[in-house]
Amino acid sequence: MRSLALWRVSHASLSAPEFSSSGEPSSITATALDLDQNALLVATERKDALNDSEATIAIWRLASEGGASEEGTPSLVTSYATPTQLAANPWSKGTAKGVTAPRKDAEIVSMHVLPDSHSLVVITRAGDITTISLDDDAPSAEVVGSVEGGIMGVAWSPDDTLLVLVTGEDKLLLMTSTFDVLSEGPLHPKEFGEDAPINVGWGAKHTQFHGSLGKAAATSSIPPTAVGASPDDDGHVRVSWRGDGAYFTVSVLEGATEAEARPHRTLRVYSREATLQSTAEPVPGLEHVLSWRPSGNLIVGTQRFGNIPGESAQKSESGSGLGPGRDGRHDIVFFERNGLRHGEFTLREYRAEDAGRAVSEQRRWGYRVREVGWSSDSNVLSVWIEREDGDIVQLWTTGNYHWYLKQEIAAPPGQDGRPGRFTSVQWHPEESLRIILTTPLDVIQRTYAWDTFASPSQSPVDSGSVAVIDGTNILLTPFRSQNVPPPMASHTLSLELPPDLQPAQPKRTPVPVHAAFAHTRDLLAILWEHGAVQVYDLQTRLGPGRGKVMDPVHIWSGKLAPRSYRQAAFAAEGCKEDVRIAVLGSDPGSDAVDVVSVVAIVEKEAKTSDVAFVTHNGRLVSSRSILWEAPDGLVFDVDTERKSASEVAHFPEFCFWTAHAVVNQGESDAPTSLYIGLTHGGKLHVVDGQATRTLATNANSFTITPGFLIFTTTAHVAQFAPLKILATLLKNSETTNVPEFETRRVERGSRIVTAVPSNMSLVLQMPRGNLETINPRPLVMQVVRQEIDSGDYGKAFTACRKHRIDLNVFVEHNPEAFIKGIPSFVEQVADVDYINLFLTSLGQGPLPADVVARICDEIRAELERKDLKKYVNSILTAHVVKRPPDHEAGLALLLRLKESEPDLVEDAVKYIIFLVDADKLFDTALGMYDFSLVLMVAQHAQKDPREYLPFLRELRALDHYYQRFRIDDYLRRYEKALTNLSLAGPERFEEAMAYVEKHQLYDHALSIWRGTDKYEAVLNIYGDWLFDRRDFKEAAFIFRQANSPEKAMIAHEKALDWQELFELAVQQQLSDDDLKDIAYRVAEDLVSKKRTSEAASVLLDYAKDVRESVIALVEGSHFSEARRIIVLHRRPELLEEVIHPGALECRARIAEDMSEMREQLRKQVNRLRELRVRKVEEPEAFYGVEDTDLHNVDVMTDISMAPTMFTRYTVAPSAMSKTSSKRSSRSKRKLERKVGSGRKGTVDEEEYLLKSVSKLVTRFNTTQADSASLLPHLLQFTEEHRAEAASLQQELTEFAAELKEAVEEIWKKTPENEEGTESTPAVDSWAARMDAYEKQKHINPVDKVARPELAKPEWKLRLPDARGSSENR
């Protein structure tokens, strides 16, 4: 669907004084590109009329075409004289016998720049090979060799390393770039070549199927005498290389022989070593042109068919020597590398009025093909046609196996009005769509670009029309109505210019150069390069119907001032009947500037105004206004009234594909203009006049809809950028990042053809040419939201169903507005199935439960108001889709309708059973205590009567409340069942209590029997349950409420709540012996719980046992309190009997603890030192490498193997462990605990040791506190006690110093370990936790474990003798 659009034109002429002198004038004959210097070298030839044996060749340098830059004045490189072909070989063998001698040809056969030596090689027909060094200050020509007999054909390999020469002596030479001969062979070999087919006895032509041609075609063959050459053949040899330089082909005119009575063309394919590979099959009428497609799949030639004009009687019975077919048929034919034919297409130059007569002796058919050539990307085929009234070059492209004629280049008329002639046509080797043409006086460079002529009209009149140029036909397809695959089209518009609008030369209707659509009407403007314009009203049918989809009507034709025009665009129309067209052109010549001609057509009368610019090769911007983009990226607004232009935006670089969009941000904000541009490099820029954003650097196409900028990328993704977001992005200068837009994957290489907002469709074209129409979600959602806002719920609902859009969008878009519009929604979406679908989507969607319930209730109320009978299924759906479902309300509706509409209820029951599980519905009906409803549901659910009838009969026989109790118990509604059981009578109380205990309904039971005489019984049952659960404290509280003091006392004793226990015991007036028994039991339990001070209080207060109380205090190291009690109760003997030995025993216990702590500290510090040395010396062995994915893989085989680095810190399943690789969540967490358990040799050992030392410090702090309470008492007792006090203080001081030094050493950080930790995502999965653990391995454990702090030594005392001097240490 793409067409070739003219982008840049460069025109250079050589001045008359430099270009001609005495004798014949000079003529441009050849060009060569100097890619290193970005220059074009042009060769001119001049022959003396009096001396035709010598010609003067001049080499000129031109700056290569470069956008807006001027080409400058041609400069002469050098000139030299060279012999002509006539002087070197008057009777050359290159012209076959029987063929008319060719016209006077240029002497230069080839001119080529060698990049390695940066020299120009000029090869002439006389046989001279001349080199010119382009690096010299004064370049001069040097003849490096000469070929005897002249040179008939030349071709350089694509890599510039090989040269193929065809000599006048019918020899084929292969030479290096230094002109060393590698191979020499005959030009007319007799053999087929190395790829000659082998006949194995099957697959022959006569065994093949030939369709409607019949068996005669199997034996038919063209006799050799019928294969001849075309009269238009120039007789020259052609050579062409394949793009990769592996093969080359030679086309040569074979002379008449005894076996072959006619001269004819033969194609041969050679390898890079000049070895003959294959010879093409004989083709009658094959002509001289030859070009191998760079991609390598096709070799191009031309073939004539029918009879030769002017020859009524053929010379022999074998015919004219041309191909059999229609007279005048002229095909471009293709060959494969093996020489076989591979398709063709027909040229369109032959005119029926010339049939049977020869137009001229040189051009029998009125024209002939001079040369063909391929663009460097193999996409465009150029055909140089020499006509009687001037030369033209046609540009052909292919798509879907159809060849399109896209552009036509006419040669400028010669001096004195003579027909214009080209002297050379050459494609640029790097810029794929740049072609260089020369005339005798001028050098023309034209650059094309691919463009899509699509209608920019917007909804609701958007037709989605696209125009494709194919010669003088415009292929039109309105994608809103049809998607017609190319090369077909909905309508073919044939163009025919009246004589007064046709160009002067050639006098005919040429191929249009551009086409454009209007914005608000379906108008099409067609532009020709010479200035002719035609406007058509396409009259496209937008809606469905049986009439023509398109019926174009011509409304205006005209011709603009003589210029070279290349682009047309519609401007904003005034009224419906007025049309304004902006046409971009430039004056011919090297000093051309761009001119925008605005044609205003009012009532078929045209008025033209021109606005000129200072540069050329600009571009019109697709817009409702007239915008022109300069080659440097500046965008100007053209004012036709003032004939001036003002700058409105600036692209960072020139953008060939541009568009203008106006974005309305809101009622208060002014509209924002966005200028979108796409460069050939794939950069997509958005400009608003001040700011610029580059949205993509790999874009390949874009289009604009009212809400989106849609573009595709080379990553095969279509992106949808909201225009409002782009406008906001450009206004916010602080935001530099481009947001993420909604995307959709597309097929590889897809490009946008057009977008049809009304159809919510986007049309894409694949590289092979076929089309695909998609409905992207952003476009669909935009239209759906617009229709919801406008209250057109029916269209919105249809669009959502068609494009599979979640119906929750109706509510999510604007909940309050939708609720208000529910009556209209029900009115427009009246179908019951559609409403059910909407309600079901609503219930399964992400909306909150309260919103769903509200909307369901509103819709249900509206449906009941409109027609309850019609919408009964929808009303049931509204009940069921709530969260949680309201099944009872649905069944209640059926009960209401049961008597009045039995048939309706039957269908409704079937429907609700379809929506809800039949068993759930059966239980719901049963829970409503309506057996008729239960039977109705069971019958329609096709349940087995043997399953439910006995159960229902049993229930019917029970009392009212007990029946309901059984039903609720069956439905597992235990609280409701207990309530009904409590109402069944007092005789059911024991059963109720058993039911409470069975289902633990204590709280509910308390609420039921509160305030009754059964309340204390319920409390007792509740208390017993709490006591059994060992929740003694709460059980005691419940027993006290139930007036059960005995049970309360037992519970208090079990809870060790001795204050409450003895309170109750005293209140119950227990005897002293009972109180002592209780006191001894409680004290024993308190001592076992290390609550020694409380045990002492119990023994002293309730057992009156001072000795046991003192013993309990001493056991808890409460010496001060013990001594106080001894003095208070006057029991001094207990000091020596209990306290003195108890103090020594406490001292021994502290010494034992400190010895154990000292041993542990030294062992763990030494191990930490070893680990840290190993971590530095062998880091890989210390850490190992683990893949967390392997935790779920059985890494061990059935044969046991030695542990590895992996098994150092994992527990992988193996044959040794006999465990499965499948782990439950519990076992995985157990594995994690094992991983971090700190076993010796694991990577977690260091962290484990640090935590152990930290716990040791905490333990020592506790020991210090115990020592602080013991030391003062030791000093007050005997000499033995004082010695132990000094010894204890010495041990504490030494161990405190050792522990402090160890902590300082352990928690000292090294520089290499001062790295921060990385955060890990909080994902609750075993693999994620193990992955986080893997990352934590390399973190220094010192950063994980906090450094412990030693408590202040409050135990230090100043001792009276020398043994206490340790306090100063």
Side-chain angles (χ1 to χ4, degrees):
M1 303 301 290
R2 296 190 296 168
S3 297
L4 278 178
L6 183 58
W7 174 16
R8 294 194 300 244
V9 178
S10 169
H11 190 282
S13 298
L14 298 183
S15 59
E18 298 169 329
F19 201 53
S20 62
S21 59
S22 60
E24 292 292 328
S26 297
S27 174
I28 299 174
T29 57
T31 59
L33 282 161
D34 184 358
L35 299 177
D36 293 339
Q37 301 297 326
N38 194 24
L40 178 65
L41 300 174
V42 180
T44 62
E45 297 181 18
R46 187 181 71 250
K47 296 180 180 178
D48 193 341
L50 301 178
N51 183 12
D52 58 0
S53 62
E54 187 178 80
T56 301
I57 296 177
I59 307 298
W60 302 80
R61 185 194 304 272
L62 290 174
S64 182
E65 181 219 9
S69 62
E70 297 295 338
E71 286 72 22
T73 303
S75 59
L76 181 64
V77 177
T78 187
S79 64
Y80 64 97
T82 183
T84 64
Q85 178 186 10
L86 183 62
N89 188 9
W91 307 103
S92 173
K93 296 181 181 180
T95 303
K97 180 180 177 181
V99 177
T100 306
R103 64 180 178 85
K104 183 171 62 176
D105 293 302
E107 292 299 325
I108 298 177
V109 184
S110 170
M111 188 168 76
H112 188 75
V113 175
L114 295 178
D116 292 342
S117 60
H118 198 219
S119 59
L120 179 68
V121 180
V122 181
I123 302 175
T124 62
R125 295 189 183 277
D128 286 351
I129 301 176
T130 307
T131 61
I132 302 170
S133 177
L134 300 177
D135 291 332
D136 296 344
D137 295 335
S140 60
E142 178 185 358
V143 179
V144 296
S146 184
V147 178
E148 294 184 2
I151 297 175
M152 305 302 296
V154 178
W156 286 91
S157 64
D159 57 1
D160 299 321
T161 59
L162 297 177
L163 173 66
V164 176
L165 294 177
V166 176
T167 70
E169 296 180 347
D170 291 347
K171 292 182 180 180
L172 182 68
L173 301 180
L174 181 65
M175 308 178 74
T176 66
S177 59
T178 56
F179 309 107
D180 297 323
V181 178
L182 298 177
S183 174
E184 181 177 352
L187 181 61
H188 306 283
K190 300 301 182 182
E191 63 273 10
F192 180 89
E194 291 184 351
D195 295 341
I198 300 174
N199 187 0
V200 295
W202 56 271
K205 185 175 181 180
H206 67 273
T207 66
Q208 304 301 310
F209 176 70
H210 294 273
S212 60
L213 298 179
K215 294 183 178 180
T219 57
S220 64
S221 61
I222 301 175
T225 57
V227 179
S230 169
D232 290 342
D233 198 313
D234 63 4
H236 291 312
V237 178
R238 297 293 195 281
V239 183
S240 181
W241 283 84
R242 200 170 77 171
D244 59 356
Y247 298 94
F248 65 89
T249 179
V250 178
S251 173
V252 62
L253 188 63
E254 304 281 357
T257 62
E258 295 181 357
E260 300 171 347
R262 301 173 183 272
H264 62 279
R265 277 276 164 182
T266 300
L267 264 64
R268 295 183 176 89
V269 177
Y270 294 83
S271 68
R272 186 178 176 87
E273 293 77 22
T275 303
L276 180 62
Q277 299 295 306
S278 61
T279 302
E281 60 185 51
V283 178
L286 186 64
E287 296 182 317
H288 55 277
V289 298
L290 180 70
S291 180
W292 201 326
R293 196 175 190 177
S295 61
N297 60 336
L298 297 175
I299 302 172
V300 179
T302 57
Q303 181 184 8
R304 284 285 188 181
F305 293 84
N307 296 316
I308 301 174
E311 297 183 7
S312 57
Q314 302 302 327
K315 298 179 180 179
S316 66
E317 296 179 356
S318 58
S320 62
L322 307 183
R326 172 178 53 84
D327 287 349
R329 176 182 167 187
H330 198 183
D331 284 2
I332 299 290
V333 294
F334 304 112
F335 296 85
E336 298 178 2
R337 186 182 68 81
N338 55 14
L340 299 179
R341 283 284 302 276
H342 187 87
E344 67 282 319
F345 69 89
T346 301
L347 295 174
R348 307 171 188 177
E349 290 301 306
Y350 182 71
R351 296 183 297 179
E353 56 267 24
D354 295 335
R357 64 182 183 88
V359 178
S360 67
E361 184 64 26
Q362 291 80 14
R363 290 172 282 274
R364 297 291 188 92
W365 288 269
Y367 74 96
R368 68 172 181 171
V369 177
R370 282 285 304 274
E371 298 290 348
V372 294
W374 286 99
S375 62
S376 60
D377 60 358
S378 301
N379 287 331
V380 183
L381 174 66
S382 63
V383 181
W384 176 6
I385 298 176
E386 183 184 277
R387 296 170 51 92
E388 287 291 323
D389 49 1
D391 287 6
I392 59 171
V393 173
Q394 295 180 345
L395 304 183
W396 295 79
T397 64
T398 184
N400 272 20
Y401 304 100
H402 175 77
W403 285 87
Y404 298 86
L405 175 55
K406 293 294 186 183
Q407 287 282 345
E408 221 172 49
I409 308 171
Q415 296 178 354
D416 302 329
R418 288 179 294 177
R421 301 295 178 192
F422 290 120
T423 57
S424 69
V425 177
Q426 179 184 3
W427 286 97
H428 196 283
E430 292 184 350
E431 297 184 28
S432 58
L433 294 180
R434 178 175 160 196
I435 190 170
I436 303 169
L437 311 100
T438 62
T439 67
L441 300 176
D442 303 318
V443 178
I444 304 169
Q445 301 183 62
R446 297 166 71 98
T447 304
Y448 292 88
W450 293 106
D451 200 3
T452 302
F453 304 146
S455 173
S457 58
Q458 302 297 338
S459 179
V461 296
D462 51 332
S463 62
S465 298
V466 176
V468 178
I469 295 177
D470 186 13
T472 56
N473 295 327
I474 303 294
L475 309 180
L476 297 168
T477 300
F479 284 97
R480 179 171 178 176
S481 305
Q482 297 178 341
N483 184 345
V484 180
M488 297 180 291
S490 298
H491 183 84
T492 300
L493 179 61
S494 297
L495 304 176
E496 182 66 34
L497 288 177
D500 58 326
L501 296 182
Q502 293 180 1
Q505 291 183 2
K507 195 69 175 178
R508 63 169 193 161
T509 301
V511 177
V513 71
H514 198 265
F517 288 90
H519 289 80
T520 58
R521 297 166 57 188
D522 215 13
L523 301 180
L524 174 66
I526 302 168
L527 173 67
W528 281 264
E529 188 173 358
H530 65 281
V533 179
Q534 284 189 342
V535 181
Y536 288 86
D537 186 352
L538 299 180
Q539 300 187 31
T540 305
R541 173 170 53 81
L542 299 180
R546 299 177 61 88
K548 293 182 179 180
V549 69
M550 189 175 284
D551 188 14
V553 175
H554 176 264
I555 61 175
W556 183 81
S557 295
K559 191 173 184 180
L560 304 177
R563 291 190 186 94
S564 175
Y565 295 94
R566 60 181 182 274
Q567 186 184 5
F570 278 89
E573 296 85 359
C575 63
K576 185 175 181 181
E577 301 298 329
D578 298 343
V579 177
R580 294 178 67 211
I581 305 173
V583 181
L584 177 62
S586 58
D587 295 320
S590 59
D591 56 350
V593 296
D594 278 0
V595 177
V596 176
S597 300
V598 180
V599 182
I601 305 172
V602 181
E603 297 180 356
K604 296 188 178 181
E605 295 294 330
K607 182 181 179 181
T608 305
S609 59
D610 297 339
V611 179
F613 296 90
V614 296
T615 59
H616 68 296
N617 292 334
R619 193 80 181 157
L620 290 176
V621 178
S622 176
S623 171
R624 290 177 177 269
S625 56
I626 303 175
L627 301 174
W628 177 80
E629 181 192 7
D632 58 357
L634 287 173
V635 179
F636 294 88
D637 187 2
V638 179
D639 188 345
T640 55
E641 294 182 359
R642 300 180 180 179
K643 294 189 176 182
S644 62
S646 57
E647 181 182 343
V648 293
H650 189 187
F651 287 115
E653 54 187 314
F654 178 78
C655 299
F656 180 83
W657 301 276
T658 55
H660 174 226
V662 178
V663 182
N664 295 316
Q665 293 284 66
E667 296 180 359
S668 59
D669 297 334
T672 302
S673 287
L674 296 182
Y675 303 89
I676 298 99
L678 176 62
T679 68
H680 281 84
K683 293 183 179 181
L684 183 63
H685 302 292
V686 179
V687 183
D688 65 351
Q690 288 81 27
T692 302
R693 289 287 187 274
T694 301
L695 300 184
T697 58
N698 61 343
N700 57 13
S701 64
F702 77 92
T703 188
I704 291 179
T705 67
F708 293 93
L709 164 64
I710 308 172
F711 61 94
T712 57
T713 66
T714 54
H716 328 305
V717 172
Q719 298 199 32
F720 303 85
L723 294 178
K724 290 186 178 180
I725 291 181
L726 294 179
T728 305
L729 180 67
L730 291 171
K731 288 182 179 180
N732 189 0
S733 58
E734 298 179 356
T735 304
T736 57
N737 296 329
V738 177
E740 293 290 335
F741 304 119
E742 193 165 352
T743 62
R744 171 170 174 159
R745 297 288 298 176
V746 295
E747 189 173 337
R748 179 183 296 271
S750 298
R751 295 176 184 268
I752 295 173
V753 176
T754 188
V756 188
S758 295
N759 278 10
M760 302 164 282
S761 62
L762 180 68
V763 183
L764 303 170
Q765 186 168 30
M766 309 302 115
R768 57 185 177 272
N770 60 310
L771 301 177
E772 179 180 350
T773 300
I774 62 175
N775 296 98
R777 178 181 173 83
L779 296 185
V780 176
M781 292 301 297
Q782 182 185 27
V783 173
V784 168
R785 290 190 180 101
Q786 290 173 355
E787 291 172 345
I788 292 175
D789 289 336
S790 62
D792 198 347
Y793 297 111
K795 287 186 178 179
F797 189 87
T798 302
C800 289
R801 288 187 64 247
K802 180 179 179 181
H803 301 291
R804 299 182 180 180
I805 300 298
D806 189 356
L807 296 176
N808 285 279
V809 68
F810 283 86
V811 183
E812 293 172 346
H813 180 57
N814 192 337
E816 294 301 325
F818 177 74
I819 291 174
K820 293 179 181 179
I822 282 178
S824 177
F825 175 81
V826 174
E827 185 71 28
Q828 297 180 39
V829 187
D831 189 273
V832 175
D833 292 337
Y834 290 171
I835 295 178
N836 293 342
L837 176 63
F838 173 75
L839 291 171
T840 304
S841 300
L842 204 64
Q844 297 175 353
L847 293 173
D850 56 337
V851 176
V852 174
R854 182 183 176 189
I855 294 174
C856 288
D857 290 338
E858 294 287 344
I859 293 179
R860 176 184 54 79
E862 181 63 24
L863 295 176
E864 290 179 352
R865 185 186 63 81
K866 288 182 66 68
D867 192 341
L868 176 61
K869 297 179 181 179
K870 176 181 177 182
Y871 293 109
V872 62
N873 288 351
S874 299
I875 295 171
L876 291 175
T877 305
H879 287 302
V880 168
V881 299
K882 292 181 181 180
R883 296 195 296 267
D886 194 356
H887 296 158
E888 291 189 8
L891 293 176
L893 174 64
L894 298 182
L895 281 178
R896 282 194 296 157
L897 298 175
K898 181 179 179 182
E899 299 298 331
S900 59
E901 301 289 340
D903 296 336
L904 184 64
V905 170
E906 184 176 352
D907 294 336
V909 170
K910 293 179 180 178
Y911 176 74
I912 197 172
I913 291 174
F914 167 74
L915 292 179
V916 185
D917 181 67
D919 293 332
K920 289 184 179 180
L921 207 60
F922 179 85
D923 293 343
T924 303
L926 187 63
M928 296 174 68
Y929 313 119
D930 191 311
F931 290 100
S932 61
L933 187 61
V934 174
L935 288 172
M936 183 171 59
V937 172
Q939 290 169 1
H940 288 89
Q942 297 182 354
K943 292 177 72 70
D944 189 354
R946 292 175 296 179
E947 295 179 359
Y948 62 87
L949 284 180
F951 177 59
L952 294 181
R953 291 193 189 102
E954 181 185 356
L955 291 176
R956 282 181 180 274
L958 300 176
D959 295 337
H960 177 72
Y961 286 109
Y962 197 72
Q963 179 190 83
R964 292 194 171 189
F965 160 72
R966 289 289 303 278
I967 291 173
D968 292 330
D969 181 62
Y970 172 78
L971 298 177
R972 297 185 180 181
R973 301 188 300 193
Y974 300 124
E975 291 188 356
K976 199 169 183 180
L978 181 61
T979 302
N980 285 319
L981 186 57
S982 68
L983 298 175
E987 65 276 7
R988 302 284 186 182
F989 180 74
E990 295 301 327
E991 183 179 356
M993 292 301 98
Y995 195 78
V996 168
E997 293 183 14
K998 178 180 180 182
H999 298 290
Q1000 299 179 8
L1001 302 173
Y1002 301 103
D1003 291 336
H1004 190 63
L1006 290 173
S1007 64
I1008 292 175
W1009 278 282
R1010 182 176 282 109
T1012 66
D1013 56 347
K1014 304 295 185 181
Y1015 185 66
E1016 290 185 358
V1018 177
L1019 285 173
N1020 275 308
I1021 294 174
Y1022 184 32
D1024 292 339
W1025 179 74
L1026 290 174
F1027 190 89
D1028 292 341
R1029 288 184 60 199
R1030 305 188 66 80
D1031 197 350
F1032 302 119
K1033 188 181 291 291
E1034 290 190 15
F1037 174 75
I1038 296 298
F1039 285 138
R1040 296 184 72 163
Q1041 281 190 320
N1043 293 321
S1044 298
E1046 295 80 5
K1047 291 185 177 181
M1049 289 174 59
I1050 296 174
H1052 280 311
E1053 183 177 347
K1054 292 292 185 180
L1056 293 180
D1057 294 336
W1058 57 274
Q1059 292 92 341
E1060 290 81 358
L1061 168 64
F1062 286 107
E1063 176 194 1
L1064 276 176
V1066 173
Q1067 289 176 357
Q1068 296 298 316
Q1069 300 179 357
L1070 296 181
S1071 63
D1072 293 341
D1073 293 338
D1074 292 338
L1075 283 176
K1076 286 183 179 181
D1077 292 340
I1078 295 173
Y1080 282 122
R1081 290 200 307 270
V1082 171
E1084 183 180 359
D1085 291 338
L1086 288 172
V1087 170
S1088 66
K1089 298 294 184 181
K1090 304 297 183 182
R1091 297 165 60 179
T1092 55
S1093 61
E1094 295 179 62
S1097 298
V1098 169
L1099 291 168
L1100 189 63
D1101 294 343
Y1102 298 102
K1104 309 301 182 181
D1105 191 337
V1106 177
R1107 183 182 183 86
E1108 290 298 327
S1109 177
V1110 171
I1111 293 173
L1113 290 172
V1114 169
E1115 186 174 348
S1117 299
H1118 302 292
F1119 295 101
S1120 297
E1121 180 65 15
R1123 293 174 67 183
R1124 186 188 71 82
I1125 291 175
I1126 290 174
V1127 173
L1128 178 65
H1129 291 276
R1130 294 177 176 83
R1131 298 287 300 274
E1133 70 278 5
L1134 296 179
L1135 185 66
E1136 293 183 1
E1137 294 177 5
V1138 177
I1139 293 181
H1140 286 182
L1144 294 176
E1145 184 180 348
C1146 183
R1147 161 70 178 94
R1149 187 171 62 251
I1150 291 175
E1152 183 180 352
D1153 290 345
M1154 291 183 60
S1155 176
E1156 181 182 343
M1157 286 188 287
R1158 184 179 292 105
E1159 181 182 359
Q1160 176 185 345
L1161 177 65
R1162 292 174 179 175
K1163 184 185 299 184
Q1164 291 180 339
V1165 169
N1166 291 333
R1167 180 58 181 169
L1168 279 170
R1169 291 169 181 164
E1170 293 178 8
L1171 289 175
R1172 291 179 175 177
V1173 170
R1174 186 182 178 191
K1175 181 166 60 175
V1176 174
E1177 294 179 351
E1178 302 176 7
E1180 293 183 359
F1182 180 82
Y1183 289 110
V1185 178
E1186 178 187 14
D1187 186 354
T1188 55
D1189 292 338
L1190 295 177
H1191 282 290
N1192 286 327
V1193 180
D1194 192 351
V1195 297
M1196 301 290 284
T1197 64
D1198 292 335
I1199 303 174
S1200 62
M1201 58 179 65
T1204 64
M1205 287 189 296
F1206 173 73
T1207 58
R1208 288 197 310 123
Y1209 52 89
T1210 61
V1211 185
S1214 66
M1216 298 169 62
S1217 60
K1218 301 296 182 183
T1219 59
S1220 171
S1221 61
K1222 296 182 179 179
R1223 294 189 178 93
S1224 64
S1225 177
R1226 181 178 179 183
S1227 64
K1228 288 177 181 177
R1229 293 183 184 276
K1230 185 177 179 182
L1231 172 63
E1232 293 174 23
R1233 291 195 297 271
K1234 286 185 178 180
V1235 169
S1237 62
R1239 289 183 295 108
K1240 187 173 182 179
T1242 66
V1243 293
D1244 301 297
E1245 183 182 1
E1246 183 179 4
E1247 181 180 351
Y1248 170 78
L1249 292 174
L1250 290 176
K1251 291 179 180 178
S1252 180
V1253 172
S1254 181
K1255 292 178 181 178
L1256 183 65
V1257 172
T1258 303
R1259 181 181 175 187
F1260 178 66
N1261 290 338
T1262 304
T1263 302
Q1264 288 188 100
D1266 293 341
S1267 300
S1269 64
L1270 174 64
L1271 278 172
H1273 299 284
L1274 289 175
L1275 293 174
Q1276 297 176 27
F1277 296 156
T1278 65
E1279 190 67 25
E1280 181 184 2
H1281 287 83
R1282 284 191 289 272
E1284 290 296 335
S1287 174
L1288 174 61
Q1289 188 161 326
Q1290 178 70 20
E1291 291 178 7
L1292 287 171
T1293 303
E1294 292 176 355
F1295 185 72
E1298 183 179 356
L1299 183 59
K1300 183 177 181 181
E1301 182 181 356
V1303 170
E1304 291 287 345
E1305 177 186 354
I1306 292 172
W1307 269 270
K1308 182 180 180 181
K1309 292 185 178 180
T1310 57
E1312 61 270 15
N1313 290 330
E1314 292 182 355
E1315 299 178 358
T1317 60
E1318 298 180 359
S1319 61
T1320 57
V1323 181
D1324 189 17
S1325 67
W1326 179 73
R1329 291 193 296 271
M1330 294 307 296
D1331 183 62
Y1333 164 74
E1334 183 72 18
K1335 295 179 181 178
Q1336 290 289 328
K1337 286 191 309 179
H1338 298 279
I1339 300 176
N1340 189 3
V1342 175
D1343 296 328
K1344 300 180 184 179
V1345 183
R1347 174 177 175 170
E1349 297 294 336
L1350 284 171
K1352 185 177 180 181
E1354 298 180 355
W1355 43 265
K1356 286 189 176 182
L1357 298 175
R1358 185 178 298 275
L1359 302 180
D1361 53 359
R1363 285 177 298 179
S1365 63
S1366 62
E1367 66 180 347
N1368 297 323
R1369 296 180 183 178

